[in-house]
Amino acid sequence: MLKIRRPQIEALANLSRRRFVAAAVVHLRDAHPERWAEATDEVAGAWVERRLARGLQLGLVEEVSLLRHLEVASRFDERFADSDDAIGVLHNLDELQTWPEPMELLASLYGSPAET
């Protein structure tokens, strides 16, 4: 019988995370070159790691939700990406399938004046 030990599971999980972070950095550089053109891979990777941790804290678990969370934080700002408005959209997996329409909705929410 094949036994997979905890260190092996952790090694696979870490590999998956490193691959996701590397792919996310490439994606952000393509999606928002003006923001990431001069950032080193280390700086961009650290930002992605920090934002992924925040996304997980906010209950985002699907890769697509986390990737879109990174895009929103990159395009607008981190505070907006963590807002109830943005998180509500990012939790809706059906709506995320119609991307970029949700980003257009978020852009209109981001650009609207704050209620007083």
Side-chain angles (χ1 to χ4, degrees):
M1 173 187 261
L2 177 66
K3 287 187 177 183
I4 300 176
R5 294 186 171 78
R6 172 65 66 194
Q8 292 168 312
I9 293 171
E10 289 173 1
L12 290 172
N14 289 337
L15 176 62
S16 177
R17 185 176 181 100
R18 285 192 310 272
R19 286 180 176 165
F20 183 79
V21 168
V25 168
V26 169
H27 177 75
L28 290 175
R29 287 187 189 283
D30 288 343
H32 307 126
E34 67 287 348
R35 165 109 193 242
W36 298 105
E38 297 192 22
T40 65
D41 286 342
E42 292 78 20
V43 168
W47 185 88
V48 166
E49 287 278 2
R50 185 173 53 78
R51 293 307 308 165
L52 285 177
R54 182 64 181 138
L56 290 169
Q57 287 175 339
L58 293 167
L60 301 172
V61 294
E62 300 290 335
E63 283 189 6
V64 67
S65 297
L66 290 164
L67 184 61
R68 299 310 184 200
H69 181 69
L70 294 171
E71 284 185 54
V72 171
S74 174
R75 180 171 174 192
F76 303 118
D77 65 48
E78 295 181 42
R79 216 173 50 182
F80 178 72
D82 296 350
S83 72
D84 290 341
D85 288 335
I87 294 302
V89 171
L90 296 170
H91 274 288
N92 186 337
L93 294 178
D94 290 334
E95 189 164 324
L96 291 181
Q97 300 305 315
T98 65
W99 201 261
E101 287 85 5
M103 183 62 107
E104 292 166 6
L105 168 64
L106 290 169
S108 68
L109 292 172
Y110 181 74
S112 67
E115 294 182 34
T116 57

